[in-house]
């Protein structure tokens, strides 16, 4: 049985083709770009909500897309344990659709920021990180205006091991200068309690080919390789 | 403004009385008010190029002279064949006047417009570049406001549409204080098939005309005539002539357009920009030798009660006109429905060669389709400004401070310092093509996925040099921008330009334009670089201070790199390697940052271009690349070669022992040698064992190559061989380089 992945194309998504490229051409898994209204969960083993500006993000980032029928379909996948990843705008949508807790606020600088950062793996057991090791530092780019993670229930996140990544320096320390947007506790990505759904602001699809990486790393691939491995284990 | 009498009523128009008479002659009757509005817009300077056209004839033959040029000047964008079945489209345009009044929306809609120009060639827009000009930032809150919101306008629009902004340049100079320059460039990539599917002509009678995208509103009416006069204190009242951008709708239009083109049922495509529906329909039918019947009330409007005049002349953003084969109508409409973009079939083409627009039953426009494009041209007088002799005669005073202090000041000066504050706000990586990213090279380098080919693109010009000598300045701009592409390993393939000048009715202002065009033309013919498009923005001159901007003929070069191994980057790589300089340094401090920052001077002798020498250097570089002898390359630009060396040290925190003994063949003063802005020089990093090989090649190519130093692991630049030896701390310089703009903008 072949594994099938969907990348949802919300109106205004703009990292959709990038994710399709990496999954199909770099990772080598059968991946389709699906218009949000046409998405049917039954056809897929995993789903990617890509980055961009869904519906222009003129209201609050991700809020309109969170009401797309695609999210109803994805909710079925969430419940039966299939892997779901939200990247950047996808993360904002997952938070707005309450797949994941908390909120993503405007960057502390009040400006959009596009740059390569480092993130440290905090939880290495999720569907997208189980091929990483706790404490690994990954080089990965960010590009967002509303990426400051906030929750008023940080204790619960910590207790449930839902913090997946934190912004860090290259040597893994959580200094303020390593935090590009003012996120609470340097949080860059989180998961649901069941650990099959991960959302993060950085872009693994932009960090999956050495030619695009300042230091020729391909840390982004491990997200997708973990997902494939996770699906294989579920299917057997 | 002129008053003309139409059907017994006095009407204000932008055109002259003579032009009004010509309109009547063309029609053999009085025009209707809607027709008159159409002529007024289409014959404006912005649309008709009536002052510049006689001069721009020089550029016209690119398609004939270069077999890889698919579309040249006069099209919505230049298009070249880059092999492997791919076409590259690109264009640059100005959005100066709107941005000077409303920086955020002015800049944003500039991006919107240039994206449409590239999109209507049937290809996907994949990159943006923006050269900008403002007044000096320090102590000037107006300049800071313009700068901040122009950058934000570009960022918000480009980021939302998912098109990376991969390059640009900024200069700050008093002459731009009231007339900022916002030029926007876009590159598109597609197959040659895609390009062939989307001609901007309606050449087949019986096809449907579909208007798609944003609704037609009252915003932006007469935006182009507003852009065709000088700004006055009254211009604030023109703010309604600035359009409002909607990048989300644009993103939908991009996807819907590309999918519609892929169906094969689209026979023509045109964006709605200046002149709105009037311009689009008349150009489609005029260029296609057809006519059309348009039902005006089919146009979906943003507000009720719009007159035919307003609907035909609205410059509302985010609209495209499609010419569709009858058998494909449903298929194309289904694409538009999928993306939920508004659309309406507004008419049909016919063979009448007349453009007819009906408002219900009433015929409001009935014009020969070509009439609107038959604007008169003007031969403008030109005169070299008298002040130039005094300026050119300015001598460089002896420096009163140490060379080290001067370098610290230069590296922190507004025109030299890091522009990271700007490009961090641009998503420059979306699309997963950006290989050499902002700040990492002289040009932006994009991969073409599925091939081993790369696009290198750069844009800019030196306004201070052009002010002193527009002919040599425009050539110098070409040397510099081609040099940027070459420094990254790219072969310059084609050029587009955006000419920003003052009022063409003033002979001194027109002289600048005329000389710059001649400079570009002469250089490009000698170096075999096709000019595939251009845009002219006149009237960048304000009536309050009575000064024109410094002449700014922006140049954009697109180049190709074959093979990933041939991409060269800017940073020095390894201590122990040699530092070489290609090309001699002349005493050319006119218009330099040294003159301006240290001595407060604008004059002196600006750089002069020797095409033969430039060509030889380029040839040598490509030979060195072919033999894999170059580890890093950076072309010498503002501030002279010491600034260049410092910039190359920054990323890897490397130092250099520089010994200039024997390089100063022209026996220049220390400050002249270090800070001269002679164009066409490169600083390269090479491996010591290859030095003899490189010198042999340099001799063969007849290029001056001189080893001036060795890289060291300590981040320190030691300079010897001058009257004054000194030491520069790379880390401290980097700090100065990085902090200028944040310090000015983050208060």
């Amino acid at each position: 049985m072949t594994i099938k992945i969907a990348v949802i194309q919300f109106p205004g998504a703009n990292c959709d083709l990038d994710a399709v490229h990496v999954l199909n051409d770099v990772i080598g898994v059968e991946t389709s770009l699906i218009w949000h209204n046409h998405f049917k969960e039954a056809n897929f083993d995993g789903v990617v909500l890509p980055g961009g500006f869904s519906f222009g993000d003129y209201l609050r980032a991700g809020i309109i897309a969170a009401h797309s029928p695609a999210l109803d379909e994805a909710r079925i996948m969430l419940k039966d344990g299939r892997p779901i990843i939200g990247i950047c705008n996808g993360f904002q949508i997952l938070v707005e659709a309450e797949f994941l807790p908390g909120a993503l606020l405007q960057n502390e600088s009040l400006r959009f920021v596009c740059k390569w950062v480092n993130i440290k793996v905090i939880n290495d057991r999720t569907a997208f990180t189980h091929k990483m090791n706790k404490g690994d530092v990954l080089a990965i780019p960010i590009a967002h205006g509303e990426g400051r993670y906030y929750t008023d229930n940080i204790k619960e996140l910590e207790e449930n091991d839902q913090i997946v990544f934190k912004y860090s320096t290259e040597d893994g320390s959580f200094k303020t200068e390593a935090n590009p947007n003012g996120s609470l506790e340097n949080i860059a990505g989180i998961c649901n309690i069941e650990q099959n759904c991960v959302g993060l602001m950085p872009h693994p699809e932009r960090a999956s080919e050495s030619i695009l990486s300042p230091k020729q790393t391909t840390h982004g691939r491990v997200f997708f390789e973990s997902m494939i491995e996770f699906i294989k284990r579920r299917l057997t | 403004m002129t008053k003309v009498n139409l059907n017994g009523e006095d009407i204000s128009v932008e055109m002259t009385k003579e032009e009004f008479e010509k309109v009547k002659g063309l029609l053999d009757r009085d025009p209707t008010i809607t027709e008159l509005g159409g002529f007024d817009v289409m014959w404006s300077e912005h649309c008709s190029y009536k002052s510049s056209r006689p001069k721009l004839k020089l550029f016209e033959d690119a398609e004939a002279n270069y077999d890889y040029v698919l579309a040249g000047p006069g099209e919505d964008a230049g298009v070249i064949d880059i092999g492997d079945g791919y076409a590259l489209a690109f264009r640059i345009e100005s959005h100066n006047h709107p941005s000077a009044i409303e920086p955020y929306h002015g800049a944003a809609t500039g991006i919107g417009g240039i994206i449409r120009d590239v999109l209507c060639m049937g290809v996907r827009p994949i990159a943006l570049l923006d050269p900008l000009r403002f007044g000096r930032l320090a102590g000037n809150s107006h300049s800071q406001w313009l700068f901040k919101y122009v950058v934000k306008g570009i960022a918000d629009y480009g980021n939302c549409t998912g098109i990376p902004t991969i390059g640009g340049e900024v200069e700050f100079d008093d002459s731009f204080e009231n007339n900022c320059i916002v030029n926007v460039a876009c590159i598109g990539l597609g197959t040659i098939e895609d390009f062939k599917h989307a001609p901007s002509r309606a050449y087949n009678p019986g096809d449907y005309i579909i208007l798609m995208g944003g609704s037609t509103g009252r915003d932006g009416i007469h935006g182009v005539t507003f852009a065709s006069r000088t700004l006055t204190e009254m211009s604030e009242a023109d703010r309604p002539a600035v359009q409002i951008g909607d990048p989300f709708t644009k993103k939908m239009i991009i996807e819907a357009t590309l999918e519609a083109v892929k169906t094969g049922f689209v026979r023509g495509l045109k964006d709605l920009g200046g002149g709105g529906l009037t311009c689009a329909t008349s150009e489609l039918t005029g260029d296609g030798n057809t006519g059309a019947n348009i039902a005006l009330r089919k146009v979906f409007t943003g507000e009720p009660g719009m007159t035919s005049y307003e609907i035909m002349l609205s410059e509302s953003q985010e609209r495209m006109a499609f010419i569709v084969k009858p058998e494909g109508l449903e298929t194309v409409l289904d694409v538009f429905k999928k993306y939920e973009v508004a659309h309406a079939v507004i008419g049909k083409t016919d063979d009448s060669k007349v453009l007819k627009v009906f408002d219900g039953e009433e015929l409001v426009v009935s014009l020969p389709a070509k009439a609107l494009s038959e604007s008169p041209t003007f031969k403008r007088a030109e005169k070299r400004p008298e002040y130039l002799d005094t300026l050119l005669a300015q001598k460089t005073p002896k420096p009163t401070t140490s060379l080290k202090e001067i370098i610290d000041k230069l590296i922190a000066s507004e025109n030299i310092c890091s522009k990271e504050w700007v490009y961090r706000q641009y998503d420059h990586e979306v699309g997963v093509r950006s290989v050499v990213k902002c700040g990492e090279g002289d040009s932006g380098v994009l991969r073409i996925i599925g091939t081993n080919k790369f696009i290198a693109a750069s844009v800019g010009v030196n306004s201070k040099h052009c002010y002193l000598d527009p002919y040599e300045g425009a050539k110098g701009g070409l040397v510099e921008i081609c040099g940027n592409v070459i420094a990254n390993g790219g072969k310059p393939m084609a050029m587009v330009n955006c000419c920003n000048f003052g009022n063409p009715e003033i002979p001194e202002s027109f002289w600048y334009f005329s000389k710059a065009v001649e400079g570009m033309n002469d250089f490009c013919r000698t170096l075999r670089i096709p000019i595939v498009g251009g845009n002219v923005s006149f009237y960048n001159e304000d009536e309050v201070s009575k000064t024109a901007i410094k002449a700014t003929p922006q140049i954009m070069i697109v180049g190709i790199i074959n093979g990933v191994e041939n991409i060269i980057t800017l940073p020095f790589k390894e201590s122990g390697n040699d530092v070489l300089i290609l090309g001699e340094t002349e005493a050319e401090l006119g218009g330099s940052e040294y003159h301006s920052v240290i001595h407060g001077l604008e004059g002196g002798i600006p750089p002069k271009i020797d095409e033969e020498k430039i060509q030889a250097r380029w040839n040598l570089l490509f030979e060195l690349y072919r033999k894999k002898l170059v580890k890093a390359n950076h072309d010498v630009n503002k501030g002279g070669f010491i600034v260049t060396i410092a910039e190359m040290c920054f990323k890897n925190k490397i130092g250099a022992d520089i010994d200039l003994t024997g390089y100063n063949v022209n026996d220049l003063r220390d400050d002249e040698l270090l800070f001269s802005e002679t164009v066409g020089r490169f600083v390269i990093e090479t491996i010591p064992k290859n030095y003899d090989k490189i010198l042999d090649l340099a001799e063969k190519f007849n290029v001056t190559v001189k080893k001036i130093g060795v890289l060291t692991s300590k981040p320190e630049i030691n300079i010897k061989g001058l009257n004054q030896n000194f030491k520069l701390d790379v880390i401290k310089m980097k700090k100065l380089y990085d902090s200028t703009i944040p310090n000015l903008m983050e208060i």
Side-chain angles (χ1 to χ4, degrees), chain A residues 11-14 17-18 21 35 37 53 55-56 58 111-116 141 143 205-206 209 211-212, chain B residues 159-160 162 246-248 251-252 338-340 424-432 434 437 447 449 454 746:
Chain A
N14 63 29
L17 294 173
D18 302 357
H21 159 70
W35 184 245
N37 280 337
F53 289 76
F55 297 91
Y58 291 159
R111 287 191 303 276
F112 190 96
V113 58
C114 174
K115 68 176 193 183
W116 280 72
E205 81 283 11
R206 296 184 187 181
E209 296 166 273
I211 191 171
L212 300 177
Chain B
N159 296 350
C160 185
D246 176 1
F248 169 61
K251 174 65 176 161
M252 291 297 91
K338 171 183 160 188
Y339 288 98
E340 295 173 30
R424 282 283 163 253
Q425 298 183 58
Y426 300 152
D427 186 345
H428 48 264
E429 303 206 57
V430 60
V432 290
S434 307
K437 305 175 207 291
R447 63 174 172 167
I449 295 171
F454 298 81
E746 284 168 34

Side-chain angles (χ1 to χ4, degrees), chain A residues 26 30 35 37 41-42 57 73 82 91 105 145 151 154 159 167 171 196 205 226-227 230:
Chain A
V26 179
E30 192 181 320
W35 184 245
N37 280 337
E41 53 81 25
D57 282 348
E73 296 285 322
R82 277 174 281 173
F91 183 19
L105 311 177
T151 174
I154 185 81
E159 278 161 16
Y167 299 108
D171 55 17
N196 63 319
E205 81 283 11
S226 294
M227 171 172 69
F230 179 85

Side-chain angles (χ1 to χ4, degrees), chain B residues 641-658:
Chain B
F641 67 81
I642 283 300
V643 168
T644 310
I645 289 170
E647 286 172 346
M648 296 174 85
C649 288
F650 286 159
K651 180 159 184 212
N652 295 322
K653 300 185 179 71
I654 271 180
D657 284 336
I658 302 292

Side-chain angles (χ1 to χ4, degrees), chain B residues 450-502:
Chain B
T451 73
N452 197 15
K453 268 199 176 111
F454 298 81
I455 302 159
S458 180
V459 67
V461 75
N462 189 313
S463 300
K464 288 195 178 96
H465 292 169
C466 292
Y467 173 59
L468 296 173
D469 188 337
Y471 180 79
E472 296 292 338
K475 282 187 175 183
L478 276 155
V479 174
E480 157 69 18
I481 303 307
C482 289
N484 287 342
V485 166
I486 291 168
N488 282 120
K491 180 184 185 304
M493 298 295 288
M495 179 268 235
V496 291
N497 59 70
C498 187
C499 293
N500 304 275
F501 293 89

Side-chain angles (χ1 to χ4, degrees), chain B residues 211-230:
Chain B
L211 180 65
M212 180 272 259
S215 59
T216 300
R218 286 198 173 97
D219 54 325
I221 290 175
H222 271 288
V224 294
T225 48
F226 156 62
S228 303
R229 58 177 186 250
T230 53

Side-chain angles (χ1 to χ4, degrees), chain B residues 705-717:
Chain B
V705 174
K706 177 79 189 156
K707 176 176 163 177
I708 55 167
V710 177
L711 298 178
T712 59
S713 54
K714 195 174 176 196
E716 216 173 66
I717 303 173

